Structure formats: C-alpha cells, structure tokens
C-alpha cells in the first residue's frame, strides 16, 4: 500500500482542552517520526494572506531581469534579495551534483531588527543580513511582512505541538523561537517550460532542508513537490485549499537524535504540454531558531541503548555552511531571464 502525506488539523490544538492538545500533538509527532511531512489544516491564518502574497510575487517575477537584478543577492551565503535562474543547485547540500535548479527566488529574513549586538554584531551574519526590497511592486513588502507575521504565529504553535509529542513541556522551544529567531521567507518561482531540460535537471533537486522545519504554501500545478518515501518511491504533495505543508529539517532531526526525520524531497519538472498552467509560485518559510542556540540531543531522545549520535553544534555553524553549498557561484545568469 502506497504511503501518503498525513493531514493534521490544528483547530483542537489551538482552541481545545489539554487533552485535545495532547491528541493533536501525538498525531503531528507520528507524522514527523514516520515521514517527516504533514499537511496542516485548522491553522487560523486567513487564506487571503497567502493569496495576496502569491499575486504580488508573480508580479515581481514578471518584471524585466535587469530590474530584478537591482536587488540581487550580494553574496551566496545570504538568503536575501533576488536569486536568478541557474544559481541554486540544492542537491549539492547533500553532496550530490546536477544541472542547476530551474527556478528563481526572492528571499527575506527578519525585518526592522533592533540595533543591539545580538542583531547587528559580527556573530549575527548572515542570520540578520539586511533585506533588499525592490521598488516594484510597491505592495510586495507589506504583503510579505503580513505573511511573515502569520508564519511566526504558526511556527510557534507547531513548536509547542512538537515539544508535547516529544514528551517535553510544550514551552520547550519557545525561547529559541522568540523574537530572536533567524527564519527566512522565500518566494520560489518555477516557470513553465518550452523545451526539454538537461538530463537530471529538476525544478529543485533532491535535498533535505537545513533548518528546524519548513512551512510551505504549496502551489497545486503540474511539476510540483514530491516527497521520498521510506521504500524509495516518490509521493506527490497534495494541493489542498487553505492548508500548509510542513516538513522536519535537519536541525530538528539532529536535535531529536533521529527520532523525527528530515526527508528528501524535490520539485519535479512538468510535462512540456502543460504549458503556462505549469507556472508555479510556492512560498516557503524556513524556520531558524536563534542563531546562538546549541543543538544537542534532547533529554527525552536518548537513554540506555540509545546514546546521542551527534556532537553539539550551534544553529549558526550547522546551517550556514550547508546553505552555502547549494547556493551557487553567484555568477550572472546570461540569458533574457526566461527559460528558453
């Protein structure tokens, strides 16, 4: 029997009794332990927040390449600004090799940060590198920040549910996900194709995510997200209205001594005859704890016969090198900006 991505409704966790919260937390924990992915409903975020950002994001990516390049990412260890076609090869984060991913990106981190050493000192880079905002469309910034605020609320709810599923106090992750967190928001634009791609080339190559977890607004079009099941088969992620897809990241897998799993996934190439219908814009919120947090085996995830598998490491040290490996060489993309 083929595996599918489980659906977890958070309504009872957000609004119910302690027993309700425990029940939903166990549902989420089971999904995180068996596949590392779940479809999340009942999250409390108005659908218009995602719809508005998707529409504004598409208008940004419709701009001429020269205009988008005005806010190009300054360095490839930063997740900031515009990242053109051909610059990311995500399979490299896991030591693989392939032609570059067929996508372009616009990314931000925390905005309007305080002028204090944690946020502006040498150790804060690249977690709090400045955002680069384009002049157009003029509603992109407020819509991204509205979406960001919704994701902050959802990530803390999920953090509490995952803590309960791990037999921890539900506030266990609150400190590392407070206003010092180092998350990133990425608009991921995958164009329709008019000719075959190179052998082995995908919209996003097979990879696992580096951070604590990812919250994705999936765009249900041909050539979408696929998740690698335990038997090696690929599961297509469903496009269910008013839901998000979450997946466990490498940091949380390490934190839990591999109890929760960070699963390989990819974005497939659509068939050529899908045409303009295959244009895809996904919105990914990549949850990063505070950068100076130490990731070491949680107290409920080791014991006799199950010693810690990993040495402690800071969020900064683990995440920065992994991300840069897949970020590309930061050379200009020599074309019209469209995939021919």
């Amino acid at each position: 029997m083929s595996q599918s991505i489980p659906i977890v409704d958070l309504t009872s966790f957000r609004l119910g009794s302690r027993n309700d919260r425990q029940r939903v937390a166990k549902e989420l924990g089971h999904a995180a332990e068996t596949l590392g992915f779940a479809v999340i409903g009942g999250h409390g975020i108005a659908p218009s927040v995602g719809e508005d950002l998707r529409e504004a994001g598409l208008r940004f990516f419709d701009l001429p390449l020269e205009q988008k390049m005005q806010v190009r990412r300054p360095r490839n260890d930063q997740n900031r600004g515009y990242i053109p076609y051909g610059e990311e090869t995500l399979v490299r984060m896991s030591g693989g090799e392939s032609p570059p991913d067929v996508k372009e990106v616009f990314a931000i981190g925390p905005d309007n940060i305080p002028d204090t050493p944690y946020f502006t000192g040498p150790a804060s880079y690249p977690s709090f590198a400045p955002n680069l905002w384009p002049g157009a469309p003029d509603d992109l910034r407020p819509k991204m920040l509205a979406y960001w605020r919704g994701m902050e609320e959802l990530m803390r709810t999920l953090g509490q549910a995952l803590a309960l599923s791990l037999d921890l106090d539900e506030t266990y992750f609150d400190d590392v996900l407070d206003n010092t967190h180092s998350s990133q928001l990425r608009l991921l634009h995958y164009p329709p194709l008019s000719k075959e791609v190179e052998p082995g080339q995908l919209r996003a190559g097979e990879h696992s995510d580096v951070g604590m977890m990812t919250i994705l607004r999936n765009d249900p079009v041909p050539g979408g997200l696929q998740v690698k099941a335990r038997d090696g088969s690929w599961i297509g992620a469903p496009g269910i209205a008013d839901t998000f897809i979450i997946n466990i990241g490498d940091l949380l897998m390490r934190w839990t001594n591999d109890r929760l799993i960070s699963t390989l996934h990819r974005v497939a190439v659509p068939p050529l005859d899908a045409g303009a219908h295959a244009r895809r814009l996904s919105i990914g919120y990549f949850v990063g704890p505070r950068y100076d947090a130490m990731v070491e085996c949680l107290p409920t995830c080791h014991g006799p016969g199950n010693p810690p598998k990993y040495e402690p490491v800071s969020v900064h040290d683990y995440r920065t090198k992994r991300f840069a490996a897949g970020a590309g060489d930061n050379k200009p993309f020599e074309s019209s900006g469209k995939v021919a």
Side-chain angles (χ1 to χ4, degrees):
M1 183 176 178
S2 60
Q3 193 173 11
S4 61
I5 300 177
I7 300 173
V8 179
D9 191 310
L10 293 180
T11 304
S12 295
F13 186 86
R14 295 188 303 108
L15 305 175
S17 66
R18 178 165 180 81
N19 286 340
D20 291 330
R21 291 170 70 82
Q22 289 281 3
R23 175 180 54 78
V24 175
K26 292 303 180 184
E27 288 180 23
L28 182 62
H30 180 72
E33 291 181 26
T34 55
L35 184 62
F37 273 76
V39 176
I40 299 298
H43 44 71
I45 298 171
S48 59
V49 174
E51 293 164 1
D52 290 350
L53 178 53
R54 181 184 185 276
E55 188 272 335
L58 288 173
R59 282 188 282 118
F60 169 78
F61 289 115
D62 282 340
L63 295 173
L65 177 62
E66 295 75 16
Q67 193 169 348
K68 291 181 287 189
M69 291 290 277
Q70 292 174 8
V71 288
R72 186 187 181 188
R73 174 180 59 184
R75 291 175 49 171
N76 65 1
D77 59 352
Q78 291 184 20
N79 218 338
R80 300 291 188 273
Y82 176 65
I83 303 169
Y85 293 120
E87 256 193 32
E88 288 196 339
T89 308
L90 293 184
V91 72
R92 290 177 179 168
M93 293 197 300
S94 300
E97 191 55 70
S98 75
D101 298 341
V102 186
K103 70 175 189 293
E104 59 180 339
V105 181
F106 182 75
I108 66 166
D111 204 52
N112 292 326
I113 58 176
D115 186 14
T116 60
Y118 174 82
F119 295 98
T120 60
S124 70
Y125 181 87
S127 296
F128 291 96
N131 287 325
L132 303 174
W133 292 107
D138 58 7
D139 59 344
L140 182 62
R141 182 174 186 172
K143 288 177 177 177
M144 286 195 83
L145 295 181
Y147 191 92
W148 179 281
R149 290 190 292 272
M151 291 297 100
E152 282 188 314
E153 181 179 347
L154 180 54
M155 86 171 171
R156 290 166 183 148
T157 299
L158 291 167
Q160 291 178 353
L162 288 169
L164 279 179
S165 80
L166 295 165
D167 303 311
L168 299 165
D169 187 278
E170 68 177 51
T171 64
Y172 190 90
F173 294 118
D174 284 5
D175 179 57
V176 299
L177 296 178
D178 67 8
N179 292 331
T180 59
H181 71 93
S182 57
S183 302
Q184 301 160 351
L185 177 59
R186 283 161 59 90
L187 306 182
L188 304 155
H189 179 229
Y190 306 92
L193 303 180
S194 59
K195 70 174 186 179
E196 295 288 351
V197 298
E198 298 180 44
Q201 191 170 31
L202 295 170
R203 283 178 151 181
E206 180 177 334
H207 66 285
S208 59
D209 289 346
V210 174
M212 183 173 177
M213 58 182 156
T214 301
I215 307 171
L216 182 76
R217 185 184 187 274
N218 194 27
D219 209 357
V221 302
L225 175 67
Q226 296 178 331
V227 179
K228 196 168 191 176
R230 292 289 184 93
D231 64 4
S233 62
W234 289 97
I235 305 168
I240 302 174
D242 197 24
T243 66
F244 296 98
I245 294 174
I246 72 152
N247 62 278
I248 301 303
D250 296 346
L251 274 177
L252 193 52
M253 181 170 172
R254 187 182 183 110
W255 232 329
T256 62
N257 215 29
D258 294 352
R259 177 170 164 180
L260 307 187
I261 57 174
S262 179
T263 303
L264 292 170
H265 51 284
R266 66 187 185 185
V267 180
V269 172
L272 284 178
D273 60 8
H277 180 59
R279 187 186 192 192
R280 183 172 193 260
L281 191 137
S282 294
I283 304 172
Y285 188 78
F286 297 83
V287 174
R290 54 180 297 134
Y291 65 78
D292 58 359
M294 292 302 297
V295 178
E296 52 189 321
C297 187
L298 296 172
T300 57
C301 294
H302 67 91
N306 183 31
K309 299 176 182 179
Y310 306 102
E311 293 294 323
V313 65
S314 72
V315 169
H316 171 89
D317 288 348
Y318 183 78
R319 189 177 65 174
T320 303
K321 292 177 183 178
R322 284 284 310 283
F323 174 76
D329 56 13
N330 214 28
K331 294 178 181 177
F333 186 58
E334 296 177 357
S335 88
S336 64
K338 298 183 181 295
V339 175

